[in-house]
Amino acid sequence: MWRFAAAITILEIILTAFTATLFTIDGEPDPYLTPDDLREINLPFEGHRTARQNRFDALLGYETHATFLRPRQTLWLSVRVDQARVDFDSRRRREENWALKPAFGKSAILDDPGHDDAGYTVRHHTATGARCELVRFRNGRMLVVKVSSSERAGSADEEVASCERRARIVQERMFEKLRWWNGPVTAGPR
């Protein structure tokens, strides 16, 4: 009789632990770009850091910062959670307003929708630098990948193209991590 009681007790402990594990496992993918991710996509970097962003004691999103090497460019990646379409539209309108100001530099804002998400691309350059920003909105999440350069090594178009190339590589990696990926999407703006 005591063997039966011991077996049932052990079984209860195992089932309790298993159930607790099932309810505490977060099925959401890691919203950060890790150093291993950057190594896997062959982007040499330094100064990698991640941060969880809160606003008014509520989770706003997750950010990753890194500096790419050869050529030296800065990465800022943000995955915003609990976003509404108006947040995405406001971000785009801000870029469009800045594009109207000649002192800000020259910008091109292009529609860049995905299979089932909204998106746009910003190609921006000034006399001293360049920036490419890829923004996607899907199911209440906004993914922003910005690669910028403050050192001009070539023409403005070459610098913007270099930033965009790296931004698209990072964006595709994040699509895979966030399970947004539905095949290659490197075609760029339409």
Side-chain angles (χ1 to χ4, degrees):
M1 187 72 160
W2 64 273
R3 286 187 217 162
F4 178 73
I8 293 298
T9 303
I10 291 172
L11 185 61
E12 285 178 351
I13 291 170
I14 292 171
L15 287 175
T16 302
F18 179 70
T19 304
T21 304
L22 284 178
F23 284 108
T24 58
I25 289 177
D26 184 11
E28 287 293 310
D30 186 15
Y32 297 109
L33 189 68
T34 65
D36 288 338
D37 292 325
L38 288 170
R39 284 185 205 94
E40 285 177 21
I41 56 179
N42 296 319
L43 291 175
F45 68 95
E46 67 182 15
H48 178 274
R49 72 182 196 284
T50 59
R52 181 183 165 123
Q53 299 295 316
N54 293 311
R55 181 180 288 165
F56 307 119
D57 295 327
L59 177 63
L60 176 64
Y62 305 89
E63 292 185 358
T64 301
H65 300 265
T67 302
F68 293 139
L69 307 173
R70 299 182 304 272
R72 194 168 189 79
Q73 296 171 328
T74 304
L75 167 70
W76 177 73
L77 175 111
S78 174
V79 179
R80 303 286 183 187
V81 298
D82 296 329
Q83 299 288 290
R85 178 65 191 232
V86 69
D87 298 316
F88 171 80
D89 293 337
S90 296
R91 186 177 190 89
R92 181 176 177 136
R93 277 195 300 278
R94 182 189 70 194
E95 288 291 343
E96 290 169 345
N97 288 335
W98 284 346
L100 298 174
K101 300 177 183 174
F104 183 66
K106 185 177 177 192
S107 291
I109 297 124
L110 308 162
D111 285 328
D112 190 8
H115 300 289
D116 54 355
D117 55 25
Y120 65 90
T121 298
V122 178
R123 294 176 181 151
H124 174 82
H125 66 85
T126 64
T128 59
R131 165 178 69 102
C132 179
E133 190 167 319
L134 308 175
V135 182
R136 295 283 193 186
F137 178 74
R138 180 179 186 182
N139 297 332
R141 287 190 167 201
M142 187 164 34
L143 172 65
V144 182
V145 180
K146 179 170 70 172
V147 175
S148 57
S149 173
S150 59
E151 301 171 3
R152 291 283 294 269
S155 71
D157 290 337
E158 290 171 340
E159 288 298 315
V160 171
S162 174
C163 290
E164 184 170 359
R165 227 178 347 268
R166 284 181 162 175
R168 290 212 178 271
I169 291 168
V170 169
Q171 182 186 54
E172 284 193 21
R173 178 66 179 151
M174 289 306 296
F175 283 169
E176 291 174 14
K177 286 189 81 162
L178 297 172
R179 299 183 192 118
W180 288 11
W181 198 66
N182 294 322
V185 290
T186 56
R190 293 164 204 26

